[in-house]
Each structure stands twice: as C-alpha cells, then as structure tokens.
Amino acid sequence: MASASIQERFNKTEQVMRYRVAYRREGSRKVETTPWLAHLEDALLVQETIKKRGVDVALRLLDLQTNTRGVPTLTEWLPSHLERRATKTTPGTLAEYKRMAARTFLIRLGEIPMDQITGDDVIGWIAWQMKQTTERWQKKAITAAKNGTERPKEEFYLPKSIKNAHGLLSSMLSTAQAAGHINRNVAKGVDLPKVEVQEEKDIFTRDEWLSFFAAMQDHYKPFIAFILLTGARMGEATAVRVRDFNLKTESVSIRQAWKKAEVGVELGSPKSSRSRRTILLGSAIHDFAPLLEGKAADDLVFTAIRGGQIHAQRFRERQWQAAVVKSKISKGLTPHSLRHTFASWALMEGVPAQVVQMRLGHESLATTSKVYAHLLLSEQAQAVESIGWRMPVSATPQIGS
C-alpha cells in the first residue's frame, strides 16, 4: 500500500504557510512529493486519496484541482441538482438521494470536476461498488462485535441498488448538461450489472401462519392479521387511522403511509396514485372494532404497546423475530411476506389478477403479473382451453414403432 505524509513550510516572503504531500508508491522506497499547495485541506485530500485509491488517482485529482475551469465537482453539484428536483420530489426522498450518493458514487467520483469525469471513471466506480459491503451489514457486524455474537454473513450491494445509484448519477449529469457545465452525460449507455430474475417470494403456508399467529405477542395479532387480510404495505398499515375504517361499508381506506424523512420518518401520500385505495374487508372488519373504541378520528388504529407509531425496524427485530423463533419457521419471512402471502393465496384461489392489483395498490397490472406470474394458474388454464389444440392422432408417437 502506498504511504503519504504532509510537510509544511512557512513562506517568509508571502507570510503564509504552504503544504505538500510526500509519498512512496507501493513497493518503492523512493520518496516523491507534490508541488507546494496553498491550502491544508487540499493536501489532506491528496494524502487520503493516496491511501485509499493510490498515487496515480491522487495525482490526477491534484492536477484537476489546479487546472479546473470552474466546473463544479459532483459533490458541489448535488445540492443544485436536488434543488431542481424539489418541486416534484418529497423532502424525505431528496434526503434519501443525498444518503445514496454519499454511500456510493461520491466516494469515488465526488471530488472530480464534472467535465473531467469519463465513462471509464463510471465503469470503475460500478466495479468498485459491487465489491463493497452494505451499510446495513456494517451496522450488523458492529452490533455483533459489541455483543460478542457470530459475525453475520457479508452482504454486498445488489445490482438493483447499483442501478438506482447509477440512475441518480446519470440524472445529476443530465441536469449539469442542461445547465451548460458539461457537453454530454458520460453515465448514459454504461453497462450495468445484470439484475437477476427475482426468485419466488417466501410466503406462509396455512399451517405456518396459524403457528406464527399463535406465537405473536397478543397486542400485535390484530396488526399482522390486518396486513394479511388487506395486503397493505407495513408503512400503510401503521398509518391507518380510526377515520379510515368504515364499519357500515365494511371497508378501510388507505390514505397515508410512513415515509423516510431527512431525519426519521414522516406521514405522506402512499407510494403511487393507485396506492390511495379503499379495500373491502367484509364482516372481518368487525374483528377490529374494539381497536376503534374510545379513540379520536385521527388516532392511529395500530400502535406500539406503550402507544404511538409502530416502528418497522424495531417491530421486525423484536416482536416479529421472536415469533419466528417461537414458531420454529426456518424460512426467511419478514413483515413484507404477509403482503406476498395475501397476494399468493388470493391468486391460487382464483381471485382475478386485477382485483389483487387493486388491493395491493400496484400502479399497473404489469407489476402484479411480473411478481406473481408463477401463480396465475387460472389464467393459464383459460388460455389452454381457449387454444383447444390437441396433437393429431397421426402425429402421436406409437409405442413400439
């Protein structure tokens, strides 16, 4: 690994301090130095880049710094880009874009002026990102180390996550191009890691559901039953209020959902326009009536034991995982599995895909069909009957012929 240190010199003529970086390339004993720099932060950046990415990248970065034509770096451009998106994007989503950029491409490309970023730079970032462990795994590893438990299996960035980050990078370069900072978007057309075909979702069997329901803490049983019955997303179910239940029509309206905010979460509109929907519960709605009694119209129906919002991650790590262990289910089931279970059971019972789409709040039938295509058996059966084709007798292979 290359080594680097910072040297200082006081310029008596100009009465200012100057800085340079002394470095040795990997495997070399020769000490080389950069030109003297006016700012300590520039020297620190070069030093850090040498240690993380090598001498050649650091020297290229130094050359870009000293020869820049006033074009902002990706890091400098990000706030301007998000400002341009603010009219069509929620504050929570903008905050997530900032976090996504910070943990992905800004690490490798953030300090380079945008007109100096090449397609090879983007390809290099993607190759690097594929080898990085996720932030979630890093937190799990730290927790395991503190608790003295077994280190979890490493989790790397999935192709879908890299595709999302690349989409943000490309969007930033597009707005920079529109603003006249660059001539073209070098992220466009870059090959991305292939998103593998989704495996079938883990769902409950009927017996597993009964065992799991019995193992769940009593306070949360109505909550998980509601998700299974409606197919609602967890962020939607935890946001349902008393006024959303209509006992006369035996239905519940999904009007809001918890979403990521700049800090924590906030209530906002559901995922898409189709996600604002009314779901018929039938007579089962009366099983939830006791949860409505004595509450104001704007009170949450499903709450934590001590009141207030059910926090998704906390619920999954405590109540959900405890019930999984107690019921001895070995599948990788999560709260979202209840939604998949609802859809799967409904389709296997012959409920039309359009009805399942409406209850799930999918924006299009294509989404429902893509995720649950393997379960649309009734539609396949209808197709077979419609074709009505049989192999001609003369073409049927004869045994012994």
Side-chain angles (χ1 to χ4, degrees):
M1 180 182 294
S3 61
S5 60
I6 294 178
Q7 299 176 345
E8 300 178 351
R9 182 182 72 180
F10 184 73
N11 188 312
K12 294 181 179 179
T13 303
E14 300 178 10
Q15 292 293 297
V16 293
M17 189 71 77
R18 297 291 186 217
Y19 310 89
R20 71 180 181 184
V21 181
Y23 59 89
R24 270 201 291 255
R25 296 175 183 271
E26 186 174 0
S28 174
R29 294 184 178 182
K30 181 181 178 181
V31 177
E32 301 177 73
T33 60
T34 66
W36 289 101
L37 305 172
H39 304 290
L40 176 59
E41 54 266 30
D42 292 339
L44 288 169
L45 177 60
V46 172
Q47 180 191 36
E48 189 69 16
T49 305
I50 288 174
K51 292 180 178 179
K52 287 184 176 180
R53 301 180 59 191
V55 172
D56 291 335
V57 175
L59 294 182
R60 180 186 169 205
L61 176 61
L62 177 62
D63 182 62
L64 294 176
Q65 285 179 316
T66 55
N67 294 286
T68 182
R69 296 188 296 276
V71 175
T73 64
L74 274 175
T75 299
E76 293 168 341
W77 181 246
L78 180 58
S80 297
H81 170 74
L82 296 180
E83 186 177 334
R84 286 165 167 76
R85 296 293 303 274
T87 56
K88 296 183 179 180
T89 310
T90 65
T93 301
L94 293 176
E96 179 56 29
Y97 286 159
K98 289 175 65 175
R99 289 190 287 263
M100 181 192 298
R103 62 178 177 256
T104 55
F105 56 82
L106 288 187
I107 298 174
R108 299 279 294 190
L109 308 175
E111 301 308 316
I112 303 176
M114 289 185 293
D115 63 337
Q116 300 298 316
I117 297 174
T118 66
D120 286 341
D121 290 327
V122 178
I123 293 170
W125 158 64
I126 292 172
W128 172 84
Q129 194 73 57
M130 292 175 66
K131 300 175 184 177
Q132 305 308 303
T133 53
T134 64
E135 188 176 10
R136 179 180 296 178
W137 177 84
Q138 292 167 15
K139 291 179 180 178
K140 289 180 182 177
I142 293 172
T143 301
K146 287 182 179 178
N147 297 336
T149 55
E150 184 179 355
R151 191 174 190 234
K153 182 181 178 181
E154 288 186 327
E155 299 172 4
F156 297 95
Y157 277 83
L158 296 174
K160 182 179 179 182
S161 299
I162 295 174
K163 181 179 179 181
N164 291 340
H166 171 268
L168 175 58
L169 170 61
S170 183
S171 178
M172 287 179 62
L173 293 177
S174 290
T175 57
Q177 183 179 9
H181 292 302
I182 58 177
N183 293 324
R184 68 188 187 95
N185 180 353
V186 296
K188 277 189 176 181
V190 170
D191 288 337
L192 296 172
K194 186 177 180 180
V195 178
E196 297 179 0
V197 177
Q198 287 186 335
E199 296 181 1
E200 295 182 9
K201 308 290 185 181
D202 277 331
I203 64 171
F204 286 93
T205 64
R206 306 266 178 182
D207 288 340
E208 285 172 342
W209 163 247
L210 293 175
S211 298
F212 181 81
F213 185 79
M216 177 57 68
Q217 198 170 349
D218 287 345
H219 177 82
Y220 293 100
K221 285 181 177 179
F223 173 59
I224 61 173
F226 177 83
I227 297 179
L228 181 65
L229 180 61
T230 61
R233 302 174 180 91
M234 189 170 180
E236 296 170 342
T238 52
V240 170
R241 300 182 181 276
V242 172
R243 59 181 166 84
D244 297 323
F245 273 78
N246 190 324
L247 298 179
K248 291 182 179 180
T249 61
E250 297 185 333
S251 64
V252 62
S253 296
I254 303 297
R255 295 188 176 100
Q256 290 185 303
W258 292 103
K259 294 188 169 187
K260 289 183 178 179
E262 192 160 357
V263 178
V265 294
E266 62 185 4
L267 274 175
S269 299
K271 191 172 183 179
S272 66
S273 59
R274 287 288 180 93
S275 295
R276 290 180 63 91
R277 60 202 187 278
T278 298
I279 300 173
L280 184 67
L281 298 181
S283 60
I285 195 171
H286 300 288
D287 294 335
F288 300 99
L291 299 177
L292 313 180
E293 295 174 359
K295 290 184 177 180
D298 282 335
D299 287 347
L300 295 173
V301 174
F302 305 107
T303 64
I305 290 179
R306 296 181 181 179
Q309 174 201 354
I310 296 175
H311 293 274
Q313 185 173 345
R314 197 175 303 163
F315 172 77
R316 177 175 175 172
E317 292 175 351
R318 298 178 184 178
Q319 289 80 19
W320 182 272
Q321 198 55 40
V324 168
V325 172
K326 189 175 179 180
S327 57
K328 299 180 181 179
I329 298 175
S330 58
K331 294 177 181 176
L333 297 169
T334 68
H336 202 67
S337 299
L338 291 171
R339 177 172 163 87
H340 293 311
T341 299
F342 156 76
S344 300
W345 286 4
L347 291 169
M348 286 188 286
E349 289 294 329
V351 176
Q354 291 91 337
V355 175
V356 175
Q357 173 206 352
M358 183 278 295
R359 289 180 74 95
L360 291 175
H362 282 161
E363 187 65 20
S364 71
L365 184 59
T367 303
T368 310
S369 300
K370 179 181 178 181
V371 176
Y372 302 104
H374 59 291
L375 298 174
L376 297 175
L377 301 181
S378 61
E379 282 77 356
Q380 293 184 42
Q382 291 171 15
V384 171
E385 290 301 319
S386 297
I387 295 171
W389 184 84
R390 295 291 185 276
M391 187 180 293
V393 175
S394 59
T396 305
Q398 301 297 313
I399 297 175
S401 60

